[in-house]
Amino acid sequence: MADEYLSPLDLAFWNLDSPGHPMHLGAVAVFERDPACPVDADGLAALLTARAEAVPRMRQRVKDVWYGVGGAAWAVDEHFDARRHVHAVRRADAHAAVAELMSRPMDRDRPPWEVYVIEGAPDAPFSVLVKLHHALADGLRAVEFGAALLDQGARAKASAATAPAPRQGAEAAVPTQVRGPGIPLPGLPDPRQVVASLPERVREAGRALGIGSAVLRASLDPGGPAALGAAWTPGGAERRFATASLDVDDLHRIRKTSGGTVNDVVMAVVAGALRRWMEARGDDPAGPGPRALIPVARRRRRGVRGGRGNRISGYLLRLPVGEPDPLARLRDVRAGMDRNKDAGPDSGPGAVALLADSVPPLAHRFAAPLLAASARLLFDVLVTNVPMLDVPLTLDGCRMTELYPIAPLARGQSLAVAVSTYRRRVHIGLLADGESVPDADTLAAALHGALAELLDACG
């Protein structure tokens, strides 16, 4: 595979990475054991190692490039050995194991991914944690990587390998590129294309100026409650991990009664859970409320550097934790999201990630420390929805019953909430700063209480 540039946003994620705040995302899959097919952690690790060997992108690491000073590209790791990336862990408390593993940075000289098989009691369900650097994959591509390691993905790959070869000659099919961040390293641009693109470049510059102004105004706006906004952990932060599983039918019941979208209901549940959690801690939830950053996937245009990858925008939303009425909280969330959607994902302070396209590669390296330190001025909590294949999935014949996504925790942030729907259940993964949110399990339990409160209010 030819070397490929990192897209501007992927380059930003790579440079934002630090030992105390690694920019990797993840997912924890829970599998039930099949009595007819006994498995152990070492055997599963060997199986996953073999499957990872067959995924081309998993063989690639990040390297610096000369063309485009300060840039980086994906290149095949000549010393790749999947056994360095896949590990068996035996620990009774899977949540504690995930929290510890998610706090560990990855070796930047190797392909930036890791897989852990976490085994507790011999007859109990086991978990698999997949870690991927955010430069390697966004939420959707992380799902694709994970699927390639499961039985269904391995069978699909085997079928593709035995399919007839394409016809040769004039009627041969045009080969497609391997999907992944970035595009093949380009040559010098055509001057005519540069001239033709000038009007669009001017529009992009104006859009970037508008986003930058909105970001500045938002950073000067007073933040939410200190329980979420005051954490400052420059390095070596301990993590907490907790999960909650909600019935998707309950969310649809609320949506049908109150209007809006299922995502609006999820945001209202998160707001209600934060309120209940803060009250249990003795904190006052009154005030402007914490600001949530809600990522929005945007398809990158072809023909630009990194044009085949995705780009991410986002919305900022004040979570109405100070509102005691659950239905009023939902109305406030719906109104705020409607305003965001009317403005569109290409404007406003939540679109700060789009500024990566306007920054030269070298500037990413110098700006990364400043951006890492200022993230806490823009938002207090990350809430992201990760799409998931809603089909039965297995690993070595063992059925996957739960899947909890994990979002990275930015420097100075206390909480990242990731949501995914699988088999009629809404699975929520909470990654928290250990000092600010030592009781992440309490917050996870509050999600169930907030949902029940909404259901009762809807009658």
Side-chain angles (χ1 to χ4, degrees):
M1 183 192 303
D3 290 352
E4 301 174 4
Y5 275 126
L6 270 70
S7 70
L9 184 56
D10 294 334
L11 182 61
F13 283 135
W14 187 250
N15 288 319
L16 283 170
D17 190 86
S18 67
H21 291 83
M23 290 300 297
H24 50 243
L25 46 82
V28 178
V30 180
F31 298 87
E32 65 179 11
R33 293 181 182 274
D34 184 353
C37 184
V39 295
D40 63 85
D42 293 326
L44 287 172
L47 175 65
L48 292 169
T49 297
R51 291 178 177 177
E53 290 271 5
V55 180
R57 179 62 76 187
M58 288 188 164
R59 293 175 166 268
Q60 293 194 314
R61 67 178 184 87
V62 176
K63 71 170 187 179
D64 294 335
V65 296
W66 289 100
Y67 179 77
V69 178
W74 294 103
V76 174
D77 182 0
E78 297 178 355
H79 305 289
F80 174 73
D81 185 348
R83 291 174 297 180
R84 297 176 176 176
H85 299 259
V86 184
H87 310 279
V89 176
R90 289 174 175 82
R91 192 162 176 179
D93 189 342
H95 282 184
V98 170
E100 180 182 337
L101 294 170
M102 286 301 294
S103 68
R104 296 181 186 175
M106 290 187 281
D107 189 340
R108 290 170 64 89
D109 293 326
R110 295 177 182 172
W113 64 271
E114 295 172 353
V115 174
Y116 295 88
V117 181
I118 305 172
E119 186 177 47
D123 56 348
F126 65 90
S127 303
V128 175
L129 168 64
V130 179
K131 284 173 54 177
L132 300 168
H133 198 284
H134 212 327
L136 177 64
D138 56 16
L140 179 59
R141 287 198 176 118
V143 171
E144 293 175 355
F145 279 121
L149 303 178
L150 299 174
D151 296 342
Q152 291 75 11
R155 285 197 293 267
K157 191 170 186 64
S159 299
T162 58
R167 290 177 294 174
Q168 303 297 315
E171 297 181 355
V174 177
T176 58
Q177 288 182 316
V178 176
R179 188 176 182 183
I183 58 175
L185 293 175
L188 294 176
D190 185 335
R192 291 170 297 182
Q193 293 179 344
V194 173
V195 173
S197 68
L198 284 178
E200 177 61 24
R201 296 296 183 187
V202 171
R203 286 192 292 270
E204 287 182 354
R207 186 183 304 120
L209 181 61
I211 294 173
S213 299
V215 169
L216 179 60
R217 290 194 299 271
S219 65
L220 296 176
D221 187 35
L228 283 176
W232 176 247
T233 49
E238 187 179 3
R239 298 287 181 264
R240 294 288 186 273
F241 177 68
T243 61
S245 178
L246 310 179
D247 190 333
V248 72
D249 291 335
D250 288 340
L251 301 179
H252 280 292
R253 192 175 301 117
I254 296 169
R255 177 191 62 80
K256 290 177 182 178
T257 302
S258 303
T261 67
V262 169
N263 194 57
D264 293 340
V265 178
V266 170
M267 297 301 299
V269 168
V270 171
L274 287 171
R275 176 182 175 84
R276 298 167 73 91
W277 170 73
M278 292 172 67
E279 288 179 333
R281 286 164 52 117
D283 295 322
D284 184 3
R291 225 169 2 201
L293 175 63
I294 307 165
V296 178
R298 302 287 289 166
R299 179 61 56 186
R300 186 177 297 280
R301 299 185 312 277
R302 293 177 180 269
V304 299
R305 191 178 187 185
R308 288 184 181 271
N310 288 324
R311 64 175 181 170
I312 300 173
S313 182
Y315 298 136
L316 283 186
L317 176 70
R318 284 282 187 191
L319 296 177
V321 299
E323 173 56 62
D325 182 348
L327 290 180
R329 281 198 299 270
L330 178 55
R331 287 193 294 270
D332 288 346
V333 166
R334 187 168 67 244
M337 290 301 293
D338 286 344
R339 287 192 295 270
N340 278 323
K341 293 171 186 176
D342 289 342
D346 291 340
S347 62
V352 61
L354 298 182
L355 294 178
D357 291 342
S358 305
V359 179
L362 185 60
H364 279 286
R365 302 203 177 204
F366 293 106
L370 178 62
L371 291 174
S374 60
R376 65 192 300 267
L377 300 177
L378 187 61
F379 64 96
D380 303 299
V381 57
L382 174 72
V383 184
T384 181
N385 197 316
V386 181
M388 178 60 198
L389 300 173
D390 197 19
V391 296
L393 298 171
T394 60
L395 175 61
D396 201 22
C398 297
R399 186 171 66 95
M400 187 171 81
T401 57
E402 303 166 63
L403 181 67
Y404 297 98
I406 309 173
L409 198 62
R411 189 180 187 190
Q413 298 299 317
S414 301
L415 179 66
V417 181
V419 183
S420 189
T421 302
Y422 175 68
R423 310 308 292 164
R424 308 303 299 172
R425 302 294 297 180
V426 176
H427 296 112
I428 303 176
L430 307 178
L431 188 67
D433 172 73
E435 182 178 349
S436 302
V437 191
D439 53 345
D441 288 336
T442 302
L443 178 55
L447 289 165
H448 294 277
L451 176 61
E453 187 180 33
L454 265 174
L455 285 169
D456 289 343
C458 289

